[in-house]
Amino acid sequence: MRKISLFIAMSLDGYIADSKGGVDWLKGQGSDNESVDVYSEFVKDIDTILMGWNTYHQIVTELSPNEWIYSDFITYVITHTEHTSSEKIRFENINPVDLVKRLKEENGKDIWVCGGANLIQQLVNEDLIDCYYITVIPTLLGSGIRLFENMKHEIKLRLLNTQSYNGMTDLIYARR
């Protein structure tokens, strides 16, 4: 069965975006020569990405408007409005819980939940996320979009690994 992994960054106070939805604060404390490429290692086991409409829209309008940066993967975008799907980007007006349950049963590599908060919260509330890859950014935002909010129940995790670089800390947890 395919594994569902959340791979995301958050501020030290638990936000994945500022109060305007911005993510320009997603960087370490110093120079890039202290960086570690955790992304490339993570995506080796991924062939499918799941994201909400707001995340998709931010990627194609702000973060990478000239090129679809996830062209190596099949991406499912959860949206309530109709859009034309392509071979690599599939727009779905479906309950994300149902979609994840279906995708887990299909053949393939693991599935990356990319964002946003609403989608993540729905999957967390149904305890569908197997692994949590969270990078803590050395910034206190004070407000914005919280990563974990309105959870229905406690979820116990087991720490698998940590690493720090450039002021950031990667935390990798698995569901117990």
Side-chain angles (χ1 to χ4, degrees):
M1 188 174 290
R2 299 167 83 183
K3 199 170 52 174
I4 308 298
S5 295
L6 172 64
F7 184 89
I8 199 162
M10 71 175 190
S11 65
L12 181 60
D13 52 349
Y15 296 99
I16 60 172
D18 64 26
S19 58
K20 295 179 181 171
V23 294
D24 60 342
W25 52 271
L26 288 172
K27 51 188 167 252
Q29 66 190 12
S31 65
D32 287 340
N33 62 358
E34 292 183 61
S35 291
V36 175
D37 187 7
V38 291
Y39 173 81
S40 294
E41 193 60 35
F42 171 75
V43 297
K44 285 180 183 176
D45 296 324
I46 300 294
D47 67 0
T48 304
I49 299 174
L50 185 62
M51 68 179 64
W53 169 258
N54 290 341
T55 301
Y56 169 80
H57 189 257
Q58 186 175 43
I59 291 168
V60 299
T61 61
E62 292 175 44
L63 304 177
S64 183
N66 299 319
E67 156 187 27
W68 180 242
I69 56 174
Y70 300 126
S71 60
D72 293 339
F73 311 97
I74 301 294
T75 301
Y76 290 86
V77 179
I78 305 298
T79 179
H80 298 295
T81 57
E82 192 164 323
H83 300 278
T84 303
S85 293
S86 67
E87 180 184 341
K88 293 290 189 172
I89 304 171
R90 300 176 184 172
F91 297 96
E92 298 279 347
N93 184 359
I94 186 173
N95 180 325
V97 170
D98 296 335
L99 177 60
V100 165
K101 287 179 178 178
R102 185 186 86 213
L103 291 173
K104 279 184 79 125
E105 298 297 324
E106 293 178 0
N107 290 329
K109 291 182 174 182
D110 294 338
I111 300 163
W112 167 20
V113 179
C114 181
N118 185 289
L119 170 63
I120 293 165
Q121 289 164 12
Q122 290 178 66
L123 299 178
V124 167
N125 280 333
E126 296 299 322
D127 205 14
L128 289 172
I129 297 178
D130 301 300
C131 289
Y132 294 78
Y133 293 77
I134 299 174
T135 300
V136 179
I137 305 297
T139 298
L140 296 169
L141 291 177
S143 66
I145 300 171
R146 282 214 176 271
L147 176 54
F148 300 112
E149 193 165 61
N150 303 319
M151 290 181 53
K152 291 182 182 178
H153 54 82
E154 176 183 10
I155 297 174
K156 294 190 181 291
L157 304 173
R158 179 174 36 93
L159 182 64
L160 300 178
N161 195 18
T162 64
Q163 69 177 348
S164 293
Y165 52 93
N166 199 7
M168 301 180 291
T169 302
D170 292 333
L171 304 168
I172 303 173
Y173 290 96
R175 202 169 17 142
R176 279 196 253 168

